Amino acid sequence: MFDLHTHSNCSDGELSPQALIGRAREKGVTALAITDHDTVKAWQDGLQALGGPELIPGVEFSTTWNSLGIHIVGLNVDPWHDALQTGVQFQQMARAQRAKAIAEQLEQLGHSGSLTAATGYAGDAAVGRPHFARFLVETGAVSTIEQAFKRYLGAGKPGDVREHWADLETVVGWICAAGGVAVLAHPLKYRLTRTRLKRLLNAFIAAGGQALEVVSGQQTQFQTQDLAKLAQAHNLAASCGSDFHRPGPTWSELGRFHPLPQTAQPVWDLF
Ligand code: MN
Ligand code: MN
Ligand code: MN
């Protein structure tokens, strides 16, 4: 039972890497990749010694392709490789610059001090819009998180600042240079037409991408079969993962998804 897409509290997940591994063991996962957003901080000494699932070092990089936010999972990477560390630093800088830009927008609207507060709320994780939303609630500018997004941070509002992530070629390049396999994450989440999805796949393959996330959390058998065919038609291996963020109804449980179809080439054949 492979779960190759999960998040810990090193990005926007709830559980510590240790707790995540423990829960994966309880759920019968035998191989686990922790794929935090733009960081490999979860990968620490001593994790393997916990026992339980085999651990596959991973990451989930954000990128922009034709103005679309796309996620690329890197599996079986060397987390300490220079290329990967460079990538992580680049993406962290992109996030920090965006946070600064959001704070500047809020400042202009008369809400000063948001960057310091948001950084504090984020703790070890990267600063994002939810932290600014909390700032706006706690200073009384709005009464709920939803209102903060509606008035300040949501689509088209002043705090809706675009990130300047590395491009697709660069992100896939980091993963490959670090000995990993690049996987196009949750292909149905982008809501692309079939033509555009194929165009994305071709760009991904040209960049060195080798696998498609054929199973992402709970999806229909039809979607699974369809994505397996798409992977096969493009000579891509197939990956599977829950994209687990926290226990509860909003996210898929660890290991809780359809198995890969028999016809698919499992991505772990490439490790
Ligand atoms: Mn996430
Ligand atoms: Mn994602
Ligand atoms: Mn994810």
Side-chain angles (χ1 to χ4, degrees):
M1 175 76 241
F2 285 70
D3 193 335
L4 301 179
H5 187 157
T6 67
H7 294 272
S8 77
N9 63 359
C10 293
S11 63
D12 58 347
E14 187 178 286
L15 305 181
S16 67
Q18 288 79 0
L20 185 69
I21 291 165
R23 191 176 181 95
R25 187 191 315 117
E26 280 169 27
K27 302 292 175 187
V29 173
T30 55
L32 175 76
I34 304 177
T35 54
D36 279 309
H37 296 286
D38 304 296
T39 180
V40 286
K41 232 187 323 182
W43 193 256
Q44 307 145 1
D45 290 339
L47 284 187
Q48 296 278 12
L50 291 174
E54 184 196 338
L55 299 179
I56 295 148
V59 65
E60 180 174 18
F61 280 128
S62 302
T63 184
T64 312
W65 175 80
N66 282 359
S67 321
L68 262 177
I70 301 291
H71 287 175
I72 305 293
V73 163
L75 294 176
N76 203 35
V77 291
D78 170 2
W80 308 120
H81 193 283
D82 274 352
L84 204 88
Q85 288 294 323
T86 301
V88 164
Q89 274 164 29
F90 182 97
Q91 301 285 83
Q92 268 165 12
M93 221 171 58
R95 272 184 202 277
Q97 275 166 0
R98 176 184 182 234
K100 209 170 139 229
I102 294 173
E104 279 164 11
Q105 291 293 327
L106 294 180
E107 175 95 47
Q108 279 183 23
L109 296 168
H111 305 289
S112 44
S114 68
L115 189 57
T116 310
T119 307
Y121 301 145
D124 283 343
V127 183
R129 281 183 294 176
H131 306 116
F132 286 99
R134 183 170 156 196
F135 163 80
L136 290 167
V137 171
E138 296 205 355
T139 55
V142 292
S143 44
T144 63
I145 297 286
E146 290 71 30
Q147 257 180 30
F149 273 87
K150 216 168 168 184
R151 289 209 217 142
Y152 293 98
L153 301 162
K157 300 299 163 192
D160 176 26
V161 178
R162 293 286 119 211
E163 298 97 339
H164 294 285
W165 305 123
D167 62 27
L168 182 61
E169 292 75 19
T170 306
V171 163
V172 173
W174 292 332
I175 294 167
C176 295
V181 177
V183 183
L184 181 69
H186 41 63
L188 298 177
K189 258 201 183 167
Y190 314 121
R191 303 181 178 282
L192 298 173
T193 61
R194 195 40 64 121
T195 311
R196 286 197 85 199
L197 180 54
K198 285 181 180 169
R199 215 174 289 156
L200 168 61
L201 280 180
N202 288 329
F204 172 67
I205 291 162
Q210 289 182 284
L212 182 68
E213 206 167 69
V214 164
V215 180
S216 172
Q218 269 132 45
Q219 59 186 36
T220 66
Q221 285 287 7
F222 174 80
Q223 289 171 323
T224 302
Q225 295 296 338
D226 185 45
L227 290 174
K229 271 189 220 150
L230 195 65
Q232 231 171 357
H234 288 80
N235 263 321
L236 290 166
S239 187
C240 56
S242 58
D243 205 1
F244 176 86
H245 279 67
R246 66 195 73 248
T250 28
W251 294 94
S252 284
E253 183 52 80
L254 289 165
R256 186 85 58 78
F257 45 81
H258 294 308
L260 286 177
Q262 296 281 325
T263 49
Q265 187 204 5
V267 67
W268 47 90
D269 285 358
L270 305 177
F271 296 165

